């Protein structure tokens, strides 16, 4: 999508790769919405750290980052010993995998790259195949998001008020986004509508990233406190909810996503507001048997106890908001059961959550 | 309740009155939890402004503040002309009433004071009666909260994990609080339990005021993002919800309270977690026929778009969190229907919401 840079709207991917310097290029998302900056990450450990510290976040973006990180690790290997290379690649893989334990996208992405490397007979061949596969992964991520947009835009009618939670926008992918894909596609079709962005405490990705994205694309929107959606639904002021996901269980249709998603699904069900989850196929986990087994990260207390923003001088800063002698609980994700979900918007069409397993062969699942 | 001041735990009411200087004494709640300060408010317009700007907030506290404000306005009148006094008192009444349109407590409190003034034959007599009635109102507020505690403490068992939203603590009343009254009473009975404080964006009263209160009384607690309660209920980690209210409709059992309360009630109902609303009788509105007619304040956008806290130097400061080019919707309150409420904890006992109207004669309602 476009970013306003120096008065001009220039196209910019969230994740890219520079072959000459073997660097992963990332939009430094922790500086947004107050500053726009591209960082060049120079080695696979730094790439894992960038995923872990949320320089880059969001299902597709960390998938592509892990894919590029694996290729980056491969390309950094000096020598021609296939066994040493194999040991090295296992370290690269595990390091990137452990950067974000709740997400399935990095693992799926890296598995694709590893599979693509198999035909390589030499280290050099495997290195070349790794980079080609990572590039292919990033390009297909963009194509999948565009396809989500085509299907999802059919749900959007003129005058609708759409709620979204957290950021499943183009900043969460290589480009276009999942939850935002129908929004951008509907805008391209000339439809007019309004978006409510949940603030999404404690990290405020809705107020910062999603609002920034929508502003770049000139889509009418307002930020609301996470507490406000229930009231707005009660008064009939929300017509549609679209969120993304970090992991959808193919066997059950359960959806893991940013903390607070489950709450919005419960409210939407009570008010008969359609609740959709937009995902690329790589977000589907075909192995896990129940949502209760999805690991829920407990993140640091400081996120809940304060806030990051900019002061009057425009400088980024953290403030302690909470009582200085109190602590916090900070689960990062929650799990929404399939009975609360109207449909899953995939690149192949919109499905009921329970249909995923039935149609697993078409969706890249097991036999 | 007690406040740690210079290493000593000293009793301190939220609202008091100084006869010598005709000043309403308020804990400056906007400085909490980072600074403890008492402000002396010198005239009724400043008292109305203190209510409006949330120097003082919470049902009982603004009731007592308005009662004292009415007495303050009466005492400031110079002269002995009863008709001029009457006109003056109408101005005082309307000024204080309009400071917080959603709340019913200031109106009820001021009506009590006005009724008590009626037997006064001279301006001086009416002035004296006004002050006595305001003092009586404040003292009975404390007694009512203690009675709420006696009834509500029966709901609390050892090991329970209790959720509360916003601040309906002693800072929201003259002392003791409503939602916190059962908690303080149970603590006094030697029970052990854990409290989760909803952060309560956009003004964060849970993270600041409720957490500060509980810390002063040494009650184990943790702050959670407003997004987290759904997940915790889903995992069976919340046993009881107690909130306060700005207005309970006596005819329907509907409860107006801080934005986000409705959401917690919906979640509690889904998970079979008991949901209680603790209120003094003055919070009951016997006139309004439906919750939809309760005026919902739209507060300023800056609350949602940023946060107040303290920086490393301990200085209070506002940060802009959200995207600089985005706006916000900011409804301050929501309305919870009676079917989601397990019981209303009153000074006279615990009632189902629908029982309020049946037992209106005992509760001070109409015939």
């Amino acid at each position: 999508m476009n970013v306003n840079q120096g008065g001009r709207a220039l196209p910019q991917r969230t994740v890219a790769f520079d072959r000459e310097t073997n660097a992963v290029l990332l939009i430094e998302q922790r500086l947004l919405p107050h500053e726009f900056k591209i960082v060049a990450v120079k080695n696979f450990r730094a790439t894992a750290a960038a995923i872990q510290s949320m320089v880059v976040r969001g299902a597709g973006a960390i998938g592509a980052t892990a894919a590029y990180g694996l290729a980056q690790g491969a390309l950094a290997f000096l020598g021609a010993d296939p066994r040493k290379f194999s040991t090295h690649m296992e370290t690269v893989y595990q390091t990137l995998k452990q950067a974000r334990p709740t997400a399935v996208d990095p693992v799926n992405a890296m598995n694709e790259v590893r599979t693509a490397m198999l035909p390589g007979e030499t280290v050099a061949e495997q290195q070349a195949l790794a980079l080609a596969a990572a590039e292919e992964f990033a390009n297909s991520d963009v194509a999948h998001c565009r396809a989500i947009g085509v299907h999802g835009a059919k749900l959007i009618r003129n005058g609708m008020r759409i709620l979204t939670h957290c950021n499943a926008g183009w900043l969460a992918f290589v480009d276009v986004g999942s939850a935002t894909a129908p929004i951008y596609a509907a805008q391209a079709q000339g439809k007019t509508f309004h978006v409510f962005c949940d603030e999404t405490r404690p990290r405020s990705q809705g107020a910062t990233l999603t609002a920034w994205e929508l502003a770049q694309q000139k889509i009418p929107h307002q930020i609301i406190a996470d507490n406000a959606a229930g009231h707005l639904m009660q008064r009939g002021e929300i017509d549609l909810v679209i969120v993304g996901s970090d992991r959808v269980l193919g066997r059950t249709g359960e959806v893991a996503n940013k903390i607070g998603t489950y709450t919005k699904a419960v409210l939407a069900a009570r008010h008969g507001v359609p609740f959709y989850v937009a995902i690329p196929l790589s977000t589907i986990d075909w192995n896990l048997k129940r949502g209760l087994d999805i690991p829920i990260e407990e993140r640091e207390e400081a996120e809940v106890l304060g806030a990051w923003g900019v002061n009057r001088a425009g400088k980024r800063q953290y403030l302690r908001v909470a009582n200085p002698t109190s602590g916090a609980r900070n689960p990062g994700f929650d799990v929404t059961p399939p009975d609360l979900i109207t449909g899953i918007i995939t690149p192949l069409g919109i499905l009921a959550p329970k249909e995923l397993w039935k149609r697993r062969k078409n969706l890249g699942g097991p036999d």
Side-chain angles (χ1 to χ4, degrees), chain A:
Chain A
M1 307 299 289
N2 293 332
V3 177
N4 293 317
Q5 296 176 70
R8 290 191 301 165
L10 299 176
Q12 178 67 55
R13 285 191 171 186
T14 306
V15 184
F17 193 75
D18 182 45
R19 292 174 186 231
E20 272 184 45
T21 57
N22 196 30
V24 179
L25 306 178
L26 300 171
I27 296 180
E28 168 48 287
Q29 300 199 31
R30 296 175 306 179
L31 300 183
L32 289 176
H34 309 292
E35 191 185 336
F36 175 76
K37 186 182 164 186
I38 304 287
V39 289
V41 186
K42 304 260 168 76
N43 63 70
F44 78 87
R45 290 193 194 279
T47 300
I51 293 172
Q52 200 280 325
S53 65
M54 301 185 99
V55 171
V56 58
R57 23 69 54 205
I62 60 175
T65 303
Y68 280 131
L70 203 72
Q72 179 183 42
L75 291 164
F77 181 82
L78 300 176
D81 182 336
R83 289 179 64 180
K84 281 187 186 163
F85 180 67
S86 174
T87 307
H88 167 75
M89 287 312 293
E90 186 59 24
T91 304
V92 176
Y93 181 87
Q94 291 300 335
T95 303
L96 289 161
K97 183 180 174 180
Q98 280 150 28
R100 190 79 60 82
T102 307
V104 70
D105 287 80
V107 173
N108 283 345
M110 290 194 293
N111 288 348
E112 279 191 34
V113 176
R114 285 215 292 197
T115 304
M117 290 166 72
L118 289 178
E121 288 177 11
T122 64
V123 169
E125 277 178 18
Q126 289 185 58
Q127 287 172 320
L129 289 168
L131 181 56
E135 292 283 10
E136 166 60 23
F137 182 89
N139 289 334
S140 73
D141 181 79
V142 179
H144 294 154
C145 287
R146 292 225 169 89
I148 290 169
V150 169
H151 296 295
K154 295 172 192 162
L155 302 170
I156 300 177
R157 294 185 301 276
N158 276 324
M160 268 193 166
R161 292 142 310 173
I162 304 164
L163 175 70
T164 188
H165 188 73
C166 197
N167 177 263
W170 62 274
L171 290 167
F173 288 84
V174 177
D175 208 345
V176 181
S178 61
T180 50
I183 289 168
Y184 297 141
Q187 182 192 36
Q189 292 164 3
K191 293 178 185 170
T192 58
F193 49 87
H194 186 87
V195 179
F196 288 115
C197 307
D198 265 344
E199 177 183 21
T200 320
R201 285 281 296 160
R203 292 181 66 90
S204 307
Q205 294 95 330
T208 57
L209 304 180
T210 302
W212 181 82
E213 275 197 22
L214 297 176
Q216 299 298 318
Q217 317 308 324
K218 301 192 190 341
I219 289 174
H221 65 282
Q222 285 173 306
I223 298 161
I224 57 173
D226 300 301
N227 283 317
H231 170 70
L232 293 176
M233 285 189 197
Q234 203 181 30
R235 300 278 163 127
E237 296 188 40
I238 292 175
D239 305 300
L240 178 66
V241 185
I242 311 179
V243 299
S245 173
D246 291 84
R247 190 189 304 217
V248 173
L249 298 200
R251 289 171 186 268
T252 66
E254 288 164 294
V255 168
N257 193 40
K258 184 63 53 194
I259 193 78
T261 301
Y262 168 62
T263 294
K264 294 301 136 70
V266 170
L267 288 167
R270 179 175 166 95
H271 293 286
V273 176
F275 185 95
Y276 286 91
V277 180
I279 53 158
L281 300 186
S282 59
T283 302
I284 303 175
D285 178 340
W286 295 108
N287 298 315
L288 217 58
K289 292 198 174 65
R290 50 181 209 153
L292 210 58
D293 295 334
I294 299 171
I296 303 294
E297 238 179 287
E298 286 280 341
R299 299 185 56 85
E300 58 179 27
E301 295 183 44
E303 290 182 355
V304 174
L305 299 174
W308 282 94
V310 292
N311 60 25
R312 286 190 182 179
K315 209 184 151 191
R316 256 183 74 78
Q317 197 184 323
Y318 174 82
L319 289 186
R320 171 89 184 195
V321 172
N323 177 48
T325 58
S326 299
R329 268 291 292 281
N330 187 14
F333 300 87
D334 62 26
V335 178
T336 300
D339 59 294
L340 300 177
I341 298 163
T342 312
I344 312 275
I345 311 172
T346 77
L348 301 180
I350 302 175
L351 301 167
K354 293 287 189 189
E355 281 182 281
L356 292 178
W357 187 246
K358 286 178 203 156
R359 302 183 56 177
R360 62 188 178 276
K361 280 183 198 166
N362 297 333
L363 300 169
D367 290 336

